[in-house]
Amino acid sequence: MSGTLVQQAGSLSLDIDADRLLRRIADLARIGRSEVTGGITREGFSAADREARAYLMAEARAAGLAPSIDAAGNVIVRPVHVSSSSTDRQALMMGSHLDTVVNGGRLDGAYGVVAALEVLQTLVESGTETRHEPVAVAFANEEGALFPQPFWGSMAIAGRLAGLPREPQDHQGRPLREALRLAGGDLDALGSAGWPSGSVAAYLELHVEQGPVLERSGNRIGVVDAITGRIVLTLEVRGAAGHSGTAPMEGRRDALAAAARVVLATENISRERGLCRVATVGRIDPHPNTPNTIVGAVRMTVDLRDTDVWRAATAEQALRHALDAIAAATGTEIEVVAETRSDPVSTSPALRTAIERSTDELGLPYETLPSGAGHDAQMIGDIAPIGMIFVPSLGGISHVPEEDTDPADLVAGARVLFRTALRTVGPTSYPSHQD
Ligand code: GLV
Ligand code: MN
Ligand code: MN
């Protein structure tokens, strides 16, 4: 294989290092782990997140690769160091995210990053020459757990700067500017993180399914055909704080009582009215949050999802009407202070075929399915054809400490990524990048 252009993955003897893959997943699982719950809290740009990114960079350097951090805080690992102006090959980008939700699992995101590094390292160590430059990326702040901008890093790479808040703050009003600087980024230079359209030949992301479909069917690999659209609204409910024992019920402007109505209205939009597939209030921060004071203000998030962009928009409209009615009925003000939109996207048919062929070669049963979770691939879809590979999630659960996948499936998924990457970087075997 060494020194040759790869034309086919079919008769391949070259393989990823399964032990190294699993060792890195286990190493990362110790960063930000709670001894009490076993869950992992590595919110984007937190100290634990920085530690995970430093780990990735150290592993990459030890492997002789060239990691760097862009202005948005993304970790980019290339085969050798190049300044962006001197790259003449298109990239095959692979990756996912290292940040987690609060008390989440060890695989959501980290698995895809480690697998991308593994594929890159295997290609480089074997001396495989490829038409496209393989690049592994850990996208910054995919979850938006601390700073309310999910897909922060992939949006910057895709050049979606207009969609990013100017001076983002976390839920306690702390500025992203400083947190980003500590992570090696630079808010004032965000534009430099963008990759021009055409610079990425293809993007591949390997991820745990996070749902029950593969476990139920018994298939080992999922070929993703579409990723759900998502609207996340951060709301501020403003009422009036006061003494819980002396303020009469009449005339109270209790922000938490209003927020409770928002929670039920959100659920109602999906469960009763069927306007979108799912609707969730996942975060709620009451102030001052003490037992004997009426809550004066609440920050909360509403997450609406559907694979049909019009249905999601209709659900949002219904929610906004409900917010007006709740504000009027409770004497509060309800303002949408931040919003994130990711449209549903389809994956590339050519990359789906490449994934299917790779899966067939490995003798693994697969099926095609949509993703109910959001992924950085959605943003990179603006500048490149995207492909996504899923492996089964035990019990179909994710964003909880119990999230898990059989190690054999983790290795199988990485092998599928490797073969798909070879098909994609090779000179002749990838049919078309234009869908
Ligand atoms: C991203 O992880 C999501 O919430 O779908
Ligand atoms: Mn997630
Ligand atoms: Mn994820």
Side-chain angles (χ1 to χ4, degrees), residues 104-428:
R106 72 195 168 102
L107 298 173
D108 176 2
Y111 171 47
V113 173
V114 165
L117 178 67
E118 183 55 42
V119 170
L120 172 57
Q121 186 171 351
T122 305
L123 287 172
V124 170
E125 282 179 349
S126 61
T128 306
E129 287 176 23
T130 57
R131 182 172 58 152
H132 302 311
E133 181 196 15
V135 176
V137 181
F139 296 102
N141 198 31
E142 189 268 355
E143 302 282 8
L146 187 59
F147 291 94
Q149 179 54 68
F151 307 119
W152 167 269
S154 47
M155 283 177 80
I157 285 188
R160 285 202 186 192
L161 294 192
L164 293 175
R166 295 237 167 270
E167 288 285 344
Q169 297 184 339
D170 73 7
H171 297 280
Q172 263 120 41
R174 286 172 302 210
L176 171 73
R177 175 174 290 278
E178 177 58 10
L180 178 58
R181 191 188 64 74
L182 289 173
D186 179 358
L187 194 60
D188 294 325
L190 218 47
S192 68
W195 289 51
S197 181
S199 61
V200 181
Y203 173 74
L204 294 173
E205 184 163 348
L206 173 64
H207 208 283
V208 287
E209 182 205 327
Q210 307 180 272
V213 177
L214 293 174
E215 188 175 70
R216 283 188 190 152
S217 68
N219 285 319
R220 305 274 305 280
I221 294 292
V223 184
V224 176
D225 58 357
I227 307 175
T228 194
R230 178 181 182 200
I231 298 172
V232 186
L233 304 178
T234 302
L235 310 180
E236 208 163 270
V237 185
R238 289 187 290 271
H243 195 295
S244 69
T246 59
M249 294 307 287
E250 193 64 32
R252 282 193 185 193
R253 295 166 54 226
D254 184 330
L256 190 54
R261 295 189 191 202
V262 175
V263 174
L264 295 179
T266 301
E267 187 189 40
N268 184 45
I269 275 168
S270 177
R271 195 191 281 280
E272 307 296 331
R273 300 173 65 189
L275 296 179
C276 62
R277 189 173 59 81
V278 285
T280 311
V281 171
R283 174 154 193 149
I284 182 156
D285 295 307
H287 298 278
N289 204 18
T290 189
N292 46 357
T293 303
I294 300 162
V295 170
V298 172
R299 245 180 194 242
M300 61 196 298
T301 57
V302 174
D303 180 319
L304 307 170
R305 302 195 190 202
D306 204 282
T307 40
D308 180 326
V309 72
W310 296 111
R311 277 170 53 79
T314 305
E316 179 186 357
Q317 206 175 29
L319 178 79
R320 285 180 183 264
H321 282 139
L323 296 181
D324 290 344
I326 293 167
T330 57
T332 57
E333 289 169 29
I334 305 181
E335 190 189 347
V336 177
V337 294
E339 46 190 73
T340 307
R341 279 154 214 289
S342 45
D343 289 343
V345 296
S346 297
T347 55
S348 149
L351 290 173
R352 287 207 292 271
T353 303
I355 295 167
E356 286 164 7
R357 290 209 186 125
S358 302
T359 308
D360 272 338
E361 281 165 9
L362 291 163
L364 299 167
Y366 66 85
E367 71 185 273
T368 303
L369 79 176
S371 171
H375 298 288
D376 292 302
Q378 272 169 283
M379 300 297 149
I380 302 304
D382 277 6
I383 55 165
I386 58 166
M388 276 205 82
I389 303 160
F390 276 173
V391 294
S393 289
L394 296 178
I397 55 171
S398 183
H399 282 187
V400 291
E402 295 77 19
E403 170 192 276
D404 205 1
T405 293
D406 187 327
D409 286 332
L410 294 175
V411 172
R415 290 200 164 114
V416 172
L417 177 69
F418 179 56
R419 284 173 176 256
T420 308
L422 278 175
R423 291 202 139 79
T424 309
V425 293
T428 56

